Amino acid sequence: MGTNKLIGLLPDMAAFVLVVERGSFSAAARQLGMTPSAISRQVARLESALGVRLLERSTRQLRLTEVGHATLQRCRGMLDAADEAVQLAQQQHTQPQGRVRISMPKAFGRFVVAPLLPAFLASYPQVEVELFISDRDVDPLADGLDLTVRVTDTPPPGMAGRPLMPVRQLLCASPQYLATFGRPVHPRDLAQHQCLYLAEHEGDKRWQLRRGSEQLTVAVRGRYATNHSELRLQGVLAHLGIAPLPHFTARAALQAGQVVTVLDDWEFTTAYRGEAWLLYPSNRHLPLKVRVLIDYLASRLCPDTPA
Protein backbone atom coordinates (compact mmCIF):
# COMPACT_ATOMS: atom_id res chain seq x y z
CA MET A 1 0.00 0.00 0.00
CA GLY A 2 1.46 3.35 -1.06
CA THR A 3 2.17 6.25 1.26
CA ASN A 4 -0.58 8.42 -0.24
CA LYS A 5 -3.20 5.74 0.37
CA LEU A 6 -1.96 5.21 3.92
CA ILE A 7 -2.23 8.91 4.65
CA GLY A 8 -5.80 8.83 3.37
CA LEU A 9 -6.66 6.04 5.81
CA LEU A 10 -5.40 7.85 8.92
CA PRO A 11 -8.75 9.59 9.65
CA ASP A 12 -10.53 6.25 9.19
CA MET A 13 -8.14 4.59 11.65
CA ALA A 14 -8.80 7.35 14.17
CA ALA A 15 -12.56 6.91 13.72
CA PHE A 16 -12.21 3.14 14.24
CA VAL A 17 -10.36 3.66 17.55
CA LEU A 18 -12.96 6.16 18.76
CA VAL A 19 -15.85 3.83 17.90
CA VAL A 20 -14.27 1.04 19.98
CA GLU A 21 -13.42 3.34 22.90
CA ARG A 22 -16.88 4.92 22.99
CA GLY A 23 -18.73 1.65 22.33
CA SER A 24 -20.89 2.79 19.41
CA PHE A 25 -20.94 4.71 16.15
CA SER A 26 -23.38 7.19 17.67
CA ALA A 27 -21.16 8.03 20.63
CA ALA A 28 -18.12 8.45 18.38
CA ALA A 29 -20.14 10.63 16.01
CA ARG A 30 -21.25 12.90 18.86
CA GLN A 31 -17.68 13.46 19.95
CA LEU A 32 -16.54 14.26 16.41
CA GLY A 33 -19.57 16.33 15.47
CA MET A 34 -20.47 13.96 12.63
CA THR A 35 -23.34 11.64 11.81
CA PRO A 36 -23.26 7.95 12.79
CA SER A 37 -23.61 6.97 9.11
CA ALA A 38 -20.51 9.01 8.24
CA ILE A 39 -18.49 7.29 10.98
CA SER A 40 -19.81 3.91 9.83
CA ARG A 41 -18.65 4.66 6.28
CA GLN A 42 -15.18 5.53 7.56
CA VAL A 43 -14.85 2.20 9.36
CA ALA A 44 -16.25 0.32 6.36
CA ARG A 45 -13.73 2.10 4.11
CA LEU A 46 -10.91 1.05 6.43
CA GLU A 47 -12.12 -2.56 6.42
CA SER A 48 -12.33 -2.51 2.63
CA ALA A 49 -8.82 -1.09 2.26
CA LEU A 50 -7.39 -3.68 4.66
CA GLY A 51 -9.47 -6.53 3.27
CA VAL A 52 -10.60 -7.72 6.70
CA ARG A 53 -13.60 -7.43 9.00
CA LEU A 54 -12.66 -5.41 12.09
CA LEU A 55 -16.04 -5.24 13.86
CA GLU A 56 -18.94 -7.63 14.15
CA ARG A 57 -22.03 -5.44 14.17
CA SER A 58 -25.45 -6.18 15.65
CA THR A 59 -28.39 -4.03 16.66
CA ARG A 60 -27.28 -4.19 20.30
CA GLN A 61 -23.51 -4.16 20.37
CA LEU A 62 -20.20 -4.06 18.53
CA ARG A 63 -17.60 -6.77 18.97
CA LEU A 64 -14.02 -6.72 17.79
CA THR A 65 -12.90 -9.59 15.59
CA GLU A 66 -9.58 -11.27 16.30
CA VAL A 67 -7.83 -9.23 13.62
CA GLY A 68 -9.76 -6.21 14.87
CA HIS A 69 -8.05 -6.52 18.27
CA ALA A 70 -4.61 -6.57 16.65
CA THR A 71 -5.46 -3.68 14.31
CA LEU A 72 -6.85 -1.64 17.21
CA GLN A 73 -3.54 -1.78 19.05
CA ARG A 74 -1.65 -0.53 15.98
CA CYS A 75 -4.17 2.23 15.32
CA ARG A 76 -3.98 3.31 18.96
CA GLY A 77 -0.22 3.35 18.64
CA MET A 78 -0.57 5.67 15.67
CA LEU A 79 -2.77 8.06 17.65
CA ASP A 80 -0.45 7.86 20.64
CA ALA A 81 2.50 8.73 18.41
CA ALA A 82 0.63 11.73 17.02
CA ASP A 83 -0.30 12.83 20.55
CA GLU A 84 3.28 12.39 21.69
CA ALA A 85 4.54 14.54 18.82
CA VAL A 86 2.15 17.33 19.79
CA GLN A 87 2.88 16.96 23.50
CA LEU A 88 6.63 16.94 22.92
CA ALA A 89 6.41 20.15 20.92
CA GLN A 90 4.20 21.85 23.47
CA GLN A 91 5.77 20.67 26.71
CA GLN A 92 8.11 23.63 26.98
CA HIS A 93 5.33 26.15 26.41
CA THR A 94 2.14 24.83 27.97
CA GLN A 95 0.76 23.40 31.16
CA PRO A 96 0.02 19.65 31.40
CA GLN A 97 -3.32 19.00 29.74
CA GLY A 98 -5.46 16.16 28.47
CA ARG A 99 -6.88 12.88 29.70
CA VAL A 100 -4.92 10.24 31.64
CA ARG A 101 -6.41 6.73 31.89
CA ILE A 102 -5.16 4.66 34.82
CA SER A 103 -6.16 1.23 36.15
CA MET A 104 -5.39 -0.47 39.47
CA PRO A 105 -6.66 -3.13 41.91
CA LYS A 106 -9.93 -2.24 43.63
CA ALA A 107 -8.77 -1.84 47.21
CA PHE A 108 -5.59 0.00 46.21
CA GLY A 109 -7.62 2.45 44.17
CA ARG A 110 -10.26 2.91 46.86
CA PHE A 111 -7.98 3.35 49.88
CA VAL A 112 -4.68 4.60 48.47
CA VAL A 113 -5.00 6.48 45.18
CA ALA A 114 -8.53 7.91 45.08
CA PRO A 115 -8.00 10.07 48.22
CA LEU A 116 -4.95 11.66 46.54
CA LEU A 117 -6.62 12.64 43.27
CA PRO A 118 -8.60 15.74 44.35
CA ALA A 119 -5.39 17.55 45.28
CA PHE A 120 -3.76 16.47 42.00
CA LEU A 121 -6.70 17.73 39.96
CA ALA A 122 -6.63 21.02 41.85
CA SER A 123 -2.92 21.41 41.04
CA TYR A 124 -3.37 20.57 37.34
CA PRO A 125 -6.71 22.04 36.24
CA GLN A 126 -6.21 21.11 32.58
CA VAL A 127 -5.64 17.40 33.25
CA GLU A 128 -8.48 14.87 33.37
CA VAL A 129 -8.13 11.51 35.14
CA GLU A 130 -10.12 8.38 34.31
CA LEU A 131 -9.62 5.87 37.14
CA PHE A 132 -10.58 2.25 36.47
CA ILE A 133 -10.48 -0.23 39.33
CA SER A 134 -10.28 -3.94 38.58
CA ASP A 135 -8.54 -6.89 40.17
CA ARG A 136 -7.81 -8.54 36.82
CA ASP A 137 -4.44 -8.06 35.13
CA VAL A 138 -5.07 -5.54 32.37
CA ASP A 139 -3.14 -4.99 29.15
CA PRO A 140 -2.33 -1.26 29.02
CA LEU A 141 -2.05 -1.25 25.21
CA ALA A 142 -5.14 -3.33 24.47
CA ASP A 143 -7.23 -1.47 27.04
CA GLY A 144 -6.07 1.97 25.98
CA LEU A 145 -4.48 2.84 29.31
CA ASP A 146 -1.70 5.29 30.03
CA LEU A 147 -0.81 3.78 33.41
CA THR A 148 -1.61 0.72 35.46
CA VAL A 149 -0.80 -0.30 39.02
CA ARG A 150 0.15 -3.92 39.60
CA VAL A 151 1.39 -5.66 42.74
CA THR A 152 4.42 -7.60 41.58
CA ASP A 153 8.08 -8.25 42.35
CA THR A 154 9.32 -6.71 39.09
CA PRO A 155 7.68 -5.01 36.08
CA PRO A 156 6.66 -7.51 33.38
CA PRO A 157 8.54 -7.59 30.03
CA GLY A 158 7.91 -4.56 27.87
CA MET A 159 6.87 -2.41 30.83
CA ALA A 160 8.72 0.23 32.79
CA GLY A 161 7.58 1.72 36.04
CA ARG A 162 8.04 3.34 39.41
CA PRO A 163 7.70 1.48 42.73
CA LEU A 164 5.06 3.13 44.89
CA MET A 165 4.87 1.19 48.15
CA PRO A 166 5.13 -2.32 49.61
CA VAL A 167 1.86 -4.21 50.05
CA ARG A 168 1.50 -6.36 53.18
CA GLN A 169 -1.31 -8.64 54.25
CA LEU A 170 -2.38 -8.54 57.90
CA LEU A 171 -4.53 -11.05 59.76
CA CYS A 172 -7.14 -9.01 61.62
CA ALA A 173 -10.03 -9.57 64.01
CA SER A 174 -12.20 -7.43 66.24
CA PRO A 175 -11.42 -7.26 69.97
CA GLN A 176 -14.94 -8.54 70.67
CA TYR A 177 -14.42 -11.63 68.51
CA LEU A 178 -11.14 -12.43 70.24
CA ALA A 179 -12.67 -11.86 73.68
CA THR A 180 -15.32 -14.46 72.81
CA PHE A 181 -13.26 -17.06 70.94
CA GLY A 182 -9.70 -16.44 72.10
CA ARG A 183 -6.58 -15.20 70.30
CA PRO A 184 -4.66 -17.65 68.09
CA VAL A 185 -1.07 -18.02 69.24
CA HIS A 186 0.05 -20.31 66.38
CA PRO A 187 -1.15 -20.66 62.77
CA ARG A 188 -2.51 -24.12 63.55
CA ASP A 189 -5.01 -22.44 65.91
CA LEU A 190 -6.70 -20.83 62.89
CA ALA A 191 -8.35 -24.15 62.06
CA GLN A 192 -10.51 -23.69 65.19
CA HIS A 193 -11.63 -20.17 64.26
CA GLN A 194 -14.10 -18.59 61.89
CA CYS A 195 -12.01 -17.25 59.01
CA LEU A 196 -13.05 -14.91 56.22
CA TYR A 197 -11.32 -16.03 53.02
CA LEU A 198 -11.39 -14.89 49.38
CA ALA A 199 -13.45 -17.75 47.87
CA GLU A 200 -12.16 -17.23 44.33
CA HIS A 201 -10.39 -20.58 44.23
CA GLU A 202 -10.51 -23.72 46.36
CA GLY A 203 -6.95 -22.98 47.45
CA ASP A 204 -8.11 -19.76 49.11
CA LYS A 205 -9.20 -21.89 52.10
CA ARG A 206 -5.64 -23.13 52.54
CA TRP A 207 -3.80 -20.25 54.17
CA GLN A 208 -0.03 -20.13 53.82
CA LEU A 209 2.07 -18.43 56.47
CA ARG A 210 5.81 -17.97 56.83
CA ARG A 211 8.15 -17.08 59.67
CA GLY A 212 11.77 -16.95 58.62
CA SER A 213 12.52 -20.30 56.98
CA GLU A 214 9.44 -21.94 58.54
CA GLN A 215 6.39 -22.28 56.27
CA LEU A 216 2.98 -23.68 57.14
CA THR A 217 -0.29 -24.32 55.33
CA VAL A 218 -3.48 -24.30 57.41
CA ALA A 219 -6.92 -25.38 56.18
CA VAL A 220 -9.40 -22.77 57.43
CA ARG A 221 -13.17 -22.60 57.48
CA GLY A 222 -15.76 -19.90 57.91
CA ARG A 223 -19.37 -18.98 57.26
CA TYR A 224 -18.58 -15.82 55.29
CA ALA A 225 -16.22 -15.33 52.36
CA THR A 226 -15.69 -12.51 49.87
CA ASN A 227 -13.00 -11.52 47.38
CA HIS A 228 -13.27 -7.80 48.22
CA SER A 229 -11.05 -6.63 51.05
CA GLU A 230 -13.35 -3.79 52.12
CA LEU A 231 -16.18 -6.27 52.56
CA ARG A 232 -13.89 -8.55 54.55
CA LEU A 233 -13.09 -5.56 56.75
CA GLN A 234 -16.81 -5.00 57.29
CA GLY A 235 -17.11 -8.67 58.26
CA VAL A 236 -14.32 -8.28 60.79
CA LEU A 237 -16.00 -5.18 62.22
CA ALA A 238 -19.20 -7.25 62.55
CA HIS A 239 -17.20 -9.76 64.68
CA LEU A 240 -17.53 -12.56 62.09
CA GLY A 241 -13.99 -13.85 62.44
CA ILE A 242 -10.36 -13.46 61.35
CA ALA A 243 -9.57 -12.11 57.88
CA PRO A 244 -6.51 -11.22 55.78
CA LEU A 245 -6.55 -7.55 54.83
CA PRO A 246 -4.11 -5.37 52.89
CA HIS A 247 -2.47 -3.00 55.34
CA PHE A 248 -3.99 0.05 53.63
CA THR A 249 -7.51 -1.41 53.92
CA ALA A 250 -7.09 -2.07 57.64
CA ARG A 251 -5.13 1.09 58.52
CA ALA A 252 -7.98 3.36 59.71
CA ALA A 253 -9.74 0.62 61.68
CA LEU A 254 -6.47 -0.36 63.34
CA GLN A 255 -5.75 3.24 64.32
CA ALA A 256 -9.26 3.55 65.76
CA GLY A 257 -8.86 0.33 67.77
CA GLN A 258 -11.81 -1.27 65.98
CA VAL A 259 -9.67 -4.19 64.84
CA VAL A 260 -6.37 -5.67 65.97
CA THR A 261 -3.82 -7.90 64.27
CA VAL A 262 -3.03 -11.49 65.24
CA LEU A 263 -0.03 -13.74 64.59
CA ASP A 264 2.13 -10.68 64.00
CA ASP A 265 5.34 -12.69 63.83
CA TRP A 266 4.01 -14.66 60.84
CA GLU A 267 3.74 -13.39 57.25
CA PHE A 268 0.50 -14.23 55.43
CA THR A 269 1.46 -15.21 51.85
CA THR A 270 -1.76 -16.57 50.29
CA ALA A 271 -3.14 -13.27 48.90
CA TYR A 272 -1.28 -10.78 46.73
CA ARG A 273 1.64 -8.99 48.30
CA GLY A 274 4.90 -7.42 47.19
CA GLU A 275 5.56 -4.01 45.67
CA ALA A 276 2.88 -1.86 44.09
CA TRP A 277 4.34 -0.66 40.77
CA LEU A 278 3.04 2.15 38.59
CA LEU A 279 3.59 0.71 35.09
CA TYR A 280 3.69 2.08 31.55
CA PRO A 281 5.05 0.76 28.21
CA SER A 282 8.82 1.05 28.16
CA ASN A 283 8.98 2.05 24.49
CA ARG A 284 6.54 4.95 24.73
CA HIS A 285 7.35 8.61 25.18
CA LEU A 286 5.50 9.83 28.25
CA PRO A 287 3.37 12.93 27.65
CA LEU A 288 3.66 15.65 30.25
CA LYS A 289 0.15 14.94 31.55
CA VAL A 290 1.22 11.36 32.36
CA ARG A 291 4.59 12.31 33.77
CA VAL A 292 3.14 14.76 36.29
CA LEU A 293 0.69 12.13 37.58
CA ILE A 294 3.50 9.58 37.94
CA ASP A 295 5.66 12.06 39.82
CA TYR A 296 2.75 13.15 42.02
CA LEU A 297 1.77 9.63 43.09
CA ALA A 298 5.38 8.59 43.62
CA SER A 299 6.08 11.67 45.76
CA ARG A 300 3.06 11.00 47.96
CA LEU A 301 3.44 7.22 48.31
CA CYS A 302 7.20 6.73 48.05
CA PRO A 303 8.74 10.13 48.84
CA ASP A 304 12.25 8.77 49.28
CA THR A 305 12.41 7.38 45.71
CA PRO A 306 14.29 9.69 43.32
CA ALA A 307 12.38 10.88 40.23
Side-chain angles (χ1 to χ4, degrees):
M1 185 178 294
T3 301
N4 290 341
K5 191 170 185 180
L6 281 173
I7 292 174
L9 289 177
L10 294 181
D12 301 338
M13 293 179 179
F16 167 59
V17 171
L18 195 58
V19 166
V20 175
E21 288 184 345
R22 293 296 174 260
S24 71
F25 291 103
S26 297
R30 285 194 296 272
Q31 179 163 336
L32 293 175
M34 301 171 64
T35 64
S37 59
I39 298 293
S40 180
R41 286 194 297 272
Q42 282 189 279
V43 175
R45 185 165 57 236
L46 178 62
E47 290 178 322
S48 177
L50 299 179
V52 295
R53 171 75 72 175
L54 300 175
L55 293 169
E56 297 291 350
R57 302 159 173 84
S58 71
T59 57
R60 302 184 64 180
Q61 65 177 0
L62 297 174
R63 184 175 63 84
L64 281 167
T65 64
E66 183 176 355
V67 70
H69 276 285
T71 304
L72 177 66
Q73 293 187 32
R74 274 62 178 186
C75 290
R76 274 184 175 145
M78 174 202 71
L79 294 179
D80 288 341
D83 181 63
E84 289 166 7
V86 173
Q87 291 281 344
L88 189 61
Q90 294 180 342
Q91 275 185 10
Q92 304 304 317
H93 308 289
T94 65
Q95 294 295 318
Q97 58 183 309
R99 179 184 60 182
V100 181
R101 294 162 56 88
I102 180 171
S103 173
M104 61 195 63
K106 294 176 182 177
F108 194 87
R110 159 73 174 83
F111 289 98
V112 178
V113 172
L116 300 176
L117 291 180
F120 172 80
L121 293 170
S123 298
Y124 298 98
Q126 297 184 61
V127 177
E128 305 168 12
V129 175
E130 292 186 359
L131 172 61
F132 302 91
I133 56 174
S134 173
D135 287 334
R136 70 179 179 90
D137 284 342
V138 299
D139 183 334
L141 292 177
D143 293 326
L145 299 167
D146 298 293
L147 298 166
T148 183
V149 173
R150 188 176 299 176
V151 179
T152 181
D153 292 328
T154 56
M159 302 295 290
R162 295 274 292 275
L164 294 179
M165 60 186 293
V167 175
R168 297 176 291 111
Q169 293 283 337
L170 307 175
L171 288 178
C172 298
S174 69
Q176 181 174 325
Y177 173 86
L178 296 178
T180 302
F181 297 98
R183 176 186 290 269
V185 296
H186 190 276
R188 286 190 292 267
D189 298 338
L190 293 170
Q192 309 305 317
H193 282 268
Q194 289 289 313
C195 295
L196 287 67
Y197 52 92
L198 273 68
E200 290 182 333
H201 311 286
E202 186 62 27
D204 290 335
K205 291 191 290 186
R206 297 180 61 81
W207 286 4
Q208 298 173 9
L209 297 100
R210 180 173 61 200
R211 182 176 61 183
S213 60
E214 186 178 4
Q215 299 189 49
L216 289 176
T217 299
V218 180
V220 300
R221 58 185 178 86
R223 298 175 56 213
Y224 181 47
T226 173
N227 65 348
H228 195 293
S229 66
E230 188 171 6
L231 296 181
R232 290 199 302 280
L233 172 61
Q234 292 176 7
V236 170
L237 293 172
H239 321 302
L240 296 182
I242 300 172
L245 298 171
H247 71 277
F248 45 78
T249 301
R251 181 185 292 121
L254 286 168
Q255 292 174 347
Q258 296 172 297
V259 304
V260 296
T261 58
V262 298
L263 299 174
D264 292 337
D265 54 339
W266 290 84
E267 179 184 5
F268 182 84
T269 62
T270 304
Y272 73 86
R273 60 187 176 80
E275 193 81 21
W277 283 82
L278 189 57
L279 302 175
Y280 45 88
S282 59
N283 59 350
R284 179 184 293 182
H285 165 74
L286 289 177
L288 185 58
K289 61 182 181 180
V290 177
R291 170 58 62 187
V292 294
L293 181 56
I294 292 173
D295 291 343
Y296 174 82
L297 293 177
S299 68
R300 297 305 187 276
L301 300 177
C302 191
D304 296 330
T305 300

